[in-house]
Amino acid sequence: MLLLSHLPEDVLYHILSYLDYKSLTRLSQVCKTTYHFVNRDAVWRKTAKEFLNTGITRNGTDIYPSIPLKERVKIAQNWYDGVCKKAINLKWKTKLLPWLQLDGNVLFLSQAADIGAYRLATDSGKLQRKSLEIYSGHKGDVCRFVLTDSHLISGGSDGKILVHSRRRDMSMELSGHNQEVNCLDSKGGLIVSGSRDRTTRIWTLTSNCPRDTIPMYDRVWSVAISPTLRSFVTGTACCENLSPLRVWDVERSKSVCSLGLEFRRGAGVLDMVFESPFQLFTCGYDTFIRLWDLRLPRKCVMEWEEPDDSALYCIQTDGNHMIASGSSYYGVVRLWDKRQTKCLQFFQLSVHPVSSPVYCLRFSSSHLHAALATSLHSLDFRKNPIRIR
């Protein structure tokens, strides 16, 4: 009699590719041989692509290679079902407009004029209260900041941009805007900033003077550089007779096109994120998340509406099926499955009568971190794990 374990590995992989996650788990309990074989990442890769936030992107890239895929699929079931443990990691007395970035197990948080780097405990995901490092230098509040491999770049209400080296104790000041820098992005040595002064400026890491200044005729709320580095997109307040979303050529500093023509007045775009060179997600005051295809004929291909008619302050995606959004009232975080239009799960982080927007959110494979006006919250999706039987 031919046993399953006697089959060639390529044949076994092909057979197991037809099983769902419950069947794979049951099969792993048959004997030690099948247990060790079934627990391989190669067996779970196809299954993991169908779940939310397993770290497998649509093009097959694995964001969290150090975590076994089987464990990530178990946690992904908790994301889908909304099973998590809520915690408040930090509180502060003065209302702020905080911003977050996540780099592995280090969380960067802006509070007023400073940005602190905090280590997340590997076992619990809790924030260690003592900061690893503080980045300072602004004379007003930090509005936005971004991380690159070598630098932390921040824009402040003082109209300045500070470029901090993450490897050496040195920084550079970029002066040019005369009002607060609402947004910025940086990739490949390029910096693009947008300001309340109705301009967008293009900079490089090698100079403290702007390479180009683009009049926008409206306040700029968001900006994102394409992964190709050949173009960038700006989102404005939509207070003028112009589309709030425009695509720009980096080399020529010229507008390539406008996205959408039916935005109502005041439908400003507050956040945007590229998921691929031709896929852009946006959100803002008009209560919609929109997915834009930047290939000709450049159009919105899908949209998701916030059920409570609240402005959406921030969005993030997992590169595959999941979107997380933060709304303007009562600290509501929503999880969306791109394969359906209705909200999948929601979490209210602030309690009535206290109301705060979710100014920024970031997530890993097991945790979601959300910054509100007076507190930093976390959702731990490893708690009370679903047992696969």
Side-chain angles (χ1 to χ4, degrees), residues 40 146 166 177 201 290 312 342:
R40 295 180 183 181
V146 295
R166 296 178 62 185
H177 291 291
R201 296 177 189 258
R290 290 187 170 89
L312 294 172
K342 291 185 179 180

Side-chain angles (χ1 to χ4, degrees), residues 295-337:
R295 296 171 294 189
L296 293 174
R298 297 190 184 96
K299 60 181 181 179
C300 177
V301 293
M302 199 164 181
E303 57 185 29
W304 299 264
E305 185 176 10
E306 216 288 331
D308 293 334
D309 199 35
S310 299
L312 294 172
Y313 274 54
C314 55
I315 50 173
Q316 281 286 288
T317 78
D318 68 346
N320 194 15
H321 297 305
M322 193 182 83
I323 310 169
S325 65
S327 66
S328 56
Y329 295 115
Y330 298 109
V332 171
V333 170
R334 294 189 186 274
L335 303 183
W336 309 78
D337 188 329

Side-chain angles (χ1 to χ4, degrees), residues 82-207:
V83 177
C84 65
K85 182 179 180 180
K86 298 180 183 178
I88 300 176
N89 287 330
L90 283 177
K91 285 186 176 181
W92 47 90
K93 294 182 179 180
T94 305
K95 287 189 176 182
L96 304 173
L97 279 73
W99 196 252
L100 297 173
Q101 294 292 353
L102 188 61
D103 184 14
N105 65 339
V106 178
L107 185 74
F108 293 79
L109 168 68
S110 66
Q111 294 173 279
D114 296 328
I115 301 168
Y118 300 88
R119 188 176 300 281
L120 298 168
T122 306
D123 54 344
S124 65
K126 290 184 179 179
L127 194 78
Q128 296 182 1
R129 298 300 180 93
K130 186 177 180 181
S131 60
L132 298 172
E133 193 163 358
I134 296 291
Y135 299 87
S136 58
H138 285 285
K139 295 180 180 178
D141 289 355
V142 173
C143 299
R144 292 285 175 97
F145 68 93
V146 295
L147 293 176
T148 69
D149 291 339
S150 56
H151 293 86
L152 183 151
I153 305 162
S154 59
S157 60
D158 54 5
K160 296 178 181 179
I161 297 170
L162 295 181
V163 180
H164 300 274
S165 172
R166 296 178 62 185
R167 298 168 183 167
R168 292 175 290 180
D169 185 18
M170 59 181 296
S171 62
M172 178 173 66
E173 181 181 305
L174 311 182
S175 299
H177 291 291
N178 54 40
Q179 294 188 48
E180 59 257 42
V181 180
N182 293 320
C183 55
L184 53 80
D185 195 12
S186 179
K187 288 184 178 73
L190 183 73
I191 303 171
V192 177
S193 60
S195 171
R196 193 181 182 90
D197 66 9
R198 301 187 172 202
T199 67
T200 293
R201 296 177 189 258
I202 303 175
W203 318 72
T204 63
L205 287 173
T206 57
S207 173

